[in-house]
Amino acid sequence: MCCEHCCTQESSCIASVPVFNGMSEADLQVLQKVTRSRSFNKGDFIFHDGESSKSLFVVNKGLIKLTKLSAEGKEQIVRLLFPGEFFGLFSLLRDAKHYVNAEAVCQTIICNIDKKDFLKTMEANSDLSFRFLLSLSDRLYEADESVGFLGLMEVEQRLARALILFHEKMNAQNGTFSLPISKKDLASFIGTTPESVSRKLLTFMSQELIRMDGRRQIQILELDQLKEIAEIN
């Protein structure tokens, strides 16, 4: 971990977070002045389950995985966070401890805003507060959907959904993107085994739904068919 500094106007991740859209220039400048950034290497933890913090975190570059560990030490990926997404809000608003681990999947830059500065801005901006309520509502919906996603869908449906997520989040050019996580992490994310992931990827290739170049490079050939498998309208 290294490189702690003030985010500049140009590089600040504040502008990339949808929930901050529409804020006045004055409020944006206040947040930018109190925003700090830190660089994390692959495998570094931003925080651990049970720790407390007084910051809102935003992914500027890279990828974060939020995880839980079972009593046996098995890791379950709860959520993946891409650039422009924020986390740590539960701990921030409730003054509670984090209930997940936050780990950098690759070289990652995280911006953080101190609690008192963030809450002061929210108190002075009712529209921002409302957008955060909507964002929390969306998170609850996604959490409920994820439970059904893991419990009711077959492995190929879950894998199709994950590939579509990566396709959308990584701004795939010509349907092509590099798998952002290992097959082991992908298996944890969709609740299966790495062997099952490999088999289903081969099945998708044989059905000419995707093309793979090496271990990570994926091109989606039939996005609409993948959406049908994933039951995405």
Side-chain angles (χ1 to χ4, degrees), residues 97-120:
K97 297 182 185 300
H98 293 294
Y99 59 91
V100 291
N101 302 297
E103 180 182 349
V105 175
C106 56
Q107 187 72 28
T108 299
I109 297 177
I110 299 294
C111 292
N112 66 285
I113 309 170
D114 187 78
K115 176 179 180 175
K116 65 178 184 298
D117 296 310
F118 175 70
L119 293 181
K120 182 179 179 181

Side-chain angles (χ1 to χ4, degrees), residues 27-228:
D27 284 339
L28 280 174
Q29 288 182 2
V30 169
L31 280 182
Q32 286 165 350
K33 286 179 180 178
V34 297
T35 298
R36 300 291 182 269
S37 70
R38 295 181 65 183
S39 178
F40 293 84
N41 296 319
K42 178 181 178 180
D44 284 345
F45 283 86
I46 292 80
F47 55 73
H48 290 87
D49 185 359
E51 290 182 348
S52 59
S53 72
K54 297 186 180 297
S55 296
L56 175 71
F57 301 94
V58 179
V59 183
N60 193 359
K61 295 180 181 179
L63 182 65
I64 294 294
K65 63 178 181 179
L66 302 182
T67 64
K68 291 286 290 183
L69 289 179
S70 69
E72 295 76 28
K74 183 179 179 180
E75 180 183 88
Q76 173 67 53
I77 295 180
V78 176
R79 186 181 180 91
L80 293 173
L81 295 161
F82 294 84
E85 296 187 299
F86 62 87
F87 60 107
L89 193 60
F90 178 83
S91 176
L92 182 74
L93 296 180
R94 293 179 58 89
D95 200 23
K97 297 182 185 300
H98 293 294
Y99 59 91
V100 291
N101 302 297
E103 180 182 349
V105 175
C106 56
Q107 187 72 28
T108 299
I109 297 177
I110 299 294
C111 292
N112 66 285
I113 309 170
D114 187 78
K115 176 179 180 175
K116 65 178 184 298
D117 296 310
F118 175 70
L119 293 181
K120 182 179 179 181
T121 303
M122 284 190 68
E123 289 170 1
N125 192 318
S126 59
D127 186 54
L128 175 62
S129 300
F130 180 68
R131 288 201 299 274
F132 263 98
L133 284 175
L134 291 180
S135 179
L136 288 175
S137 177
D138 289 342
R139 291 280 180 91
L140 287 172
Y141 174 80
E142 290 171 6
D144 288 344
E145 187 180 50
S146 179
V147 172
F149 164 68
L150 288 174
L152 300 176
M153 289 187 166
E154 300 295 332
V155 172
E156 68 174 13
Q157 294 175 297
R158 291 179 247 152
L159 178 58
R161 284 199 167 219
L163 294 179
I164 292 167
L165 172 68
F166 299 147
H167 177 269
E168 293 174 348
K169 292 290 188 180
M170 302 185 70
N171 300 314
Q173 300 296 317
N174 194 31
T176 302
F177 59 91
S178 181
L179 194 65
I181 54 178
S182 67
K183 287 183 180 178
K184 179 181 177 182
D185 277 351
L186 178 54
S188 171
F189 183 49
I190 66 173
T192 188
T193 64
E195 294 76 19
S196 291
V197 167
S198 295
R199 285 195 298 269
K200 292 302 179 182
L201 286 173
L202 288 173
T203 297
F204 287 167
M205 290 175 64
S206 67
Q207 294 171 339
E208 297 185 345
L209 300 177
I210 66 171
R211 179 184 294 129
M212 292 192 70
D213 182 8
R215 296 175 60 86
R216 292 289 186 96
Q217 199 76 4
I218 295 178
Q219 182 181 17
I220 293 182
L221 303 175
E222 299 292 343
L223 182 59
D224 288 341
Q225 289 187 42
L226 270 186
K227 287 183 176 180
E228 285 184 17

Side-chain angles (χ1 to χ4, degrees), residues 18-29:
V19 77
F20 291 128
N21 290 345
M23 286 181 62
S24 70
E25 186 64 27
D27 284 339
L28 280 174
Q29 288 182 2

